[in-house]
Amino acid sequence: MTQATLVYDGKEFPLEVIEGTEGERAIDVQKLRAQTGLVTFDPAYGNTGSCKSAITFIDGEKGILRYRGYPIDEVATRARFTEVCWMLIYGRRPELQELKDFREKLTRHTLIHEDMKKFYEGYPAGAHPMAIMAAMFSALQTFYPDDGDVDQNIVRVLAKSKTLAAFAYKKSIGQPFIYPKNDLSWPANFLRMMFAVPAEEYEVPREVEDALNLLLILHADHEQNCSTSTMRMVGSSEANLFASISAAICALWGPRHGGANEQVINMLEQIQASGSNCQKFIDEVKDGKSGIKLMGFGHRVYKNFDPRSRVLKDAADRILGKLGINDPMLELAKKIEETALSDEYFVKRKLYPNVDFYSGIIYRAMGIPSSMFTVMFVLGRLPGWIAQWKEQRDEEGGYRIHRPRQIYVGETLRPFEDLNTKNL
Ligand code: SDX
């Protein structure tokens, strides 16, 4: 067993060093406080491993991302989303019959209870779809009280997520809800519920269906990011799957996390409106006075490049070309990337495009409004959230509630004087 030694207060404390299958090492500090009275201090957990996981591996220095050991570029270009869902959640690629059964279940559970539609009537027209999604996932528990059948609830979540999302979009544009069609794939079913209207049939273009399939897979998991850590933390109290997902959706919504994809398009539109002067915008970001960030850039883990961003940049060219769309936003995004990557400020801080930088341009080309971009991130990330939540639940020897410690820096002991305020 590899050890580290902590020398503190004139004594030596041996600490075990654990190693993962990819050679990552960590000091096991589970007994540190009992042995030394010390806790570790690591705000934002930048240097803290919260769990052991076999689902996703990231090497930030080398720009590596693998799902269950498979490289992301191969999975994203060779698999269908429903197979990736099963693989992330159950730990291996499904046999053909397992996949067929899973797809059949997802198809059969796409409808939501008719009473759930009444919730949508209560939302104001301009309600942000992420607020609706967080509320609707929590509400799912009222229709499916936690009967302990985790696999059934996993099917319900993955099947109904596309319906809840499409209904949120239809609500926002005042159009009637479109019901699912059972002979369509997961991505095609969602796109039809988004864009069909009752008056006419809607044929989902294959290139749009394939583009969505790619985007969903690229977003499917990303180890212990903010929203997945939220999913694990909420799940650690034995909260049910629906409630845990609702919490993860709220965490993802923030502009530093999944909300960035919506902010990237807003940022590009602002740059375009002010004359598309990329250097001027980059200079504003660098001087820091305005507090603006280059949205879609930077990452806590990737310090070389985000492999998903590379796949998405190529896909944006290909998909817009196939759809015959010439979106100036794409050229502007490439110009911004080129300007930033040749600027010392970004190079020194190892800031590269992340998954959010190009994804919005593809969603736009598919006709999806920017208010729905983070909802698209939810739909892709659901299998990852579920897989991580389930991995924790299935841990050998059980799992503990997450309860970090702190360093108290407030007032020390002082008397609470009786100022005879009780009768006020
Ligand atoms: C996702 O964790 C995951 O895996 C997330 C994700 C997933 O799949 O789940 O990959 C999805 O959330 C991607 C990130 C999307 N967010 C954005 O694009 C928002 C813009 N990016 C930043 O807010 C930032 O880069 C973060 C939040 C992504 C990372 O923040 P960190 O790791 O806390 O880095 P930091 O804020 O400490 O930055 C270090 C330096 C700072 O400058 P100095 O104080 O050293 O002078 O880099 C600067 C920051 O000001 N910086 C940026 C910047 N990001 C960091 N400066 C300008 N523009 C940026 N985007």
Side-chain angles (χ1 to χ4, degrees), residues 218-390:
L218 287 172
H219 286 83
D221 191 50
H222 213 239
E223 54 128 289
Q224 306 313 316
N225 57 82
C226 178
S227 53
T228 300
S229 298
T230 302
M231 184 82 188
R232 279 181 173 261
M233 178 167 270
V234 173
S236 78
S237 73
E238 286 193 52
N240 63 70
L241 179 62
F242 306 116
S244 303
I245 289 173
S246 180
I249 290 173
C250 294
L252 186 73
W253 194 1
R256 288 182 177 180
H257 192 10
N261 58 14
E262 181 178 355
Q263 299 309 321
V264 167
I265 291 296
N266 295 344
M267 172 188 77
L268 292 173
E269 281 170 346
Q270 282 160 20
I271 297 169
Q272 207 171 37
S274 61
S276 298
N277 185 330
C278 297
Q279 193 54 59
K280 178 170 168 288
F281 177 76
I282 292 291
D283 292 341
E284 270 178 67
V285 170
K286 286 161 58 183
D287 78 16
K289 289 194 201 83
S290 56
I292 54 170
K293 298 263 187 211
L294 176 49
M295 300 310 280
F297 256 66
H299 201 277
R300 175 63 59 79
V301 176
Y302 290 122
K303 298 307 174 191
N304 189 327
F305 62 91
D306 182 335
R308 301 168 297 177
S309 172
R310 287 197 170 173
V311 174
L312 283 166
K313 183 176 177 182
D314 295 344
D317 273 327
R318 192 175 65 252
I319 292 159
L320 270 64
K322 271 191 186 168
L323 294 174
I325 295 173
N326 176 19
D327 185 350
M329 281 285 187
L330 178 55
E331 292 320 308
L332 179 60
K334 288 180 182 175
K335 187 100 179 50
I336 289 276
E337 177 187 5
E338 186 192 330
T339 310
L341 294 188
S342 56
D343 189 300
E344 184 51 23
Y345 173 93
F346 294 87
V347 174
K348 189 175 83 172
R349 291 168 177 80
K350 299 184 178 179
L351 301 174
Y352 297 89
N354 57 51
V355 69
D356 293 317
F357 192 64
Y358 286 104
S359 53
I361 288 165
I362 302 174
Y363 290 136
R364 245 163 76 98
M366 295 159 70
I368 295 171
S370 59
S371 60
M372 282 288 290
F373 286 5
T374 312
V375 171
M376 301 309 295
F377 199 141
V378 170
L379 296 180
R381 186 53 54 90
L382 273 169
W385 285 339
I386 293 166
Q388 300 272 352
W389 179 90
K390 188 175 182 300

Side-chain angles (χ1 to χ4, degrees), residues 1-8 11-17 27-36:
M1 174 176 75
T2 310
Q3 272 193 346
T5 302
L6 172 69
V7 179
Y8 171 65
K11 298 188 205 86
E12 291 196 352
F13 299 93
L15 294 169
E16 187 189 351
V17 174
I27 299 172
D28 184 337
V29 294
Q30 296 180 79
K31 299 191 180 70
L32 180 69
R33 192 164 186 275
Q35 287 173 336
T36 67

